[in-house]
Amino acid sequence: MDLIIRLLLNASVFLLVSRVVPGFEVASLWTALWAALIFGFVNALIRPILLAISLPLSILSLGLFTLVIDAAVMALTAWLVPGFDVHGFLAALIGWVLVSFGSMIVSSLLRDNGGKRK
């Protein structure tokens, strides 16, 4: 049940970000649900691999290349989900930051503390 609530809240974060960031477009609630699900998988499975591969560039750029990886993760999510479009690097980067921050807030709200939800 917690997974479904988390998915719905993360989808609402995608919808909210699409209202705020120009170039970050989500067509519908179903699209937002798919985007939240795919973003979670891409962020958990593919992003660490990309970060490991690009470690030398990240070291040389003092970590700034990580922002390129983050924008690429959002662009990959947009490529995989029909109806979810990200137009440009800046929209992808700002969208990634806001969606990640929103997901962090959702996770902290749903954190389980001894069986009691906050």
Side-chain angles (χ1 to χ4, degrees), residues 25-85:
E25 301 171 1
V26 178
S28 67
L29 177 62
W30 290 110
T31 302
L33 286 169
W34 276 111
L37 185 66
I38 298 298
F39 179 73
F41 282 123
V42 169
N43 218 15
L45 300 176
I46 296 175
R47 184 175 181 262
I49 295 169
L50 292 175
L51 288 174
I53 291 171
S54 68
L55 186 61
L57 284 173
S58 292
I59 291 171
L60 287 175
S61 68
L62 301 175
L64 291 177
F65 192 74
T66 305
L67 298 175
V68 174
I69 298 296
D70 297 339
V73 165
M74 187 57 73
L76 178 62
T77 303
W79 183 69
L80 291 172
V81 178
F84 173 45
D85 295 313

